[in-house]
Amino acid sequence: MKAAQDSVAADIKSVQSALSQNANDIEDAEFLLNSRSMDYRNQRASFESWIQTRTATASDDQNPEVVARVQEIEQLKLAERQAERAIETLRQEAVQQNRRLAELETQRREIRDAAYAPYEKARDWEVLKVFMLRLALTLPLLLVSAWMIAKKRGSNY
């Protein structure tokens, strides 16, 4: 049982370590997502301002530039979505690791429950042995004192 408990404890420690690393990875990925989202919003705002300016001037010679800017914004949106997917993947891994941790905790609890009955039996046996030893020491003294009270009570001693 000790070996099984040690094995489960080692597995729990490794899963907790993986969860900690996963939390750090999620934090890094969220930072990257925020950065890419901000890049996208800034580029999108710049594009909208540029389009309004272009509309006001009604210049047709800038059409290839419009297409290029739209493609650049689409690339930024794609990078943002990839960062979101990375976070989703990391969170899914965290859920799986939490489930594994719960399974390991259940195994540890089952090992402890299986060991509890023999432990209680051994503890009860030890309590009984201690009681018998104390009784073996005190019973002769109690018998002698009872005999002395019954037989020698009337004497001067």
Side-chain angles (χ1 to χ4, degrees):
M1 291 222 182
K2 179 71 172 154
Q5 188 175 8
D6 290 343
S7 172
V8 169
D11 289 346
I12 287 173
K13 187 174 181 178
S14 69
V15 169
Q16 287 173 336
S17 174
L19 273 171
S20 175
Q21 180 61 40
N22 187 285
N24 292 338
D25 292 346
I26 287 174
E27 187 176 312
D28 293 344
E30 286 175 343
F31 178 75
L32 182 64
L33 173 63
N34 290 338
S35 174
R36 289 186 176 171
S37 295
M38 189 178 296
D39 289 346
Y40 170 76
R41 285 191 302 271
N42 290 340
Q43 189 67 20
R44 182 76 181 167
S46 172
F47 176 73
E48 288 173 0
S49 296
W50 182 77
I51 284 292
Q52 289 174 355
T53 303
R54 183 183 171 281
T55 304
T57 60
S59 173
D60 286 338
D61 62 338
Q62 294 180 339
N63 282 340
E65 190 174 347
V66 170
V67 171
R69 283 188 167 213
V70 167
Q71 287 177 347
E72 184 179 328
I73 290 174
E74 287 175 355
Q75 290 297 320
L76 289 173
K77 188 64 176 176
L78 180 64
E80 181 183 21
R81 182 62 192 137
Q82 288 172 343
E84 288 172 350
R85 284 188 183 138
I87 291 173
E88 290 170 5
T89 301
L90 289 170
R91 287 191 175 146
Q92 188 176 25
E93 288 175 10
V95 166
Q96 291 172 350
Q97 290 169 344
N98 281 323
R99 287 181 184 157
R100 176 71 178 139
L101 185 61
E103 290 172 4
L104 290 170
E105 290 291 344
T106 301
Q107 284 180 3
R108 180 166 45 182
R109 191 172 37 257
E110 288 171 355
I111 290 170
R112 284 185 181 165
D113 290 347
Y116 188 73
Y119 165 76
E120 280 295 315
K121 186 176 179 182
R123 191 177 66 86
D124 290 345
W125 177 249
E126 285 298 314
V127 168
L128 182 62
K129 280 184 2 185
V130 168
F131 173 74
M132 290 300 191
L133 285 172
R134 287 179 179 171
L135 186 62
L137 287 174
T138 58
L139 187 60
L141 295 173
L142 288 173
L143 292 174
V144 167
S145 65
W147 176 79
M148 288 184 79
I149 288 173
K151 297 293 180 184
K152 304 292 183 182
R153 189 164 201 189
S155 75
N156 292 333
Y157 301 106

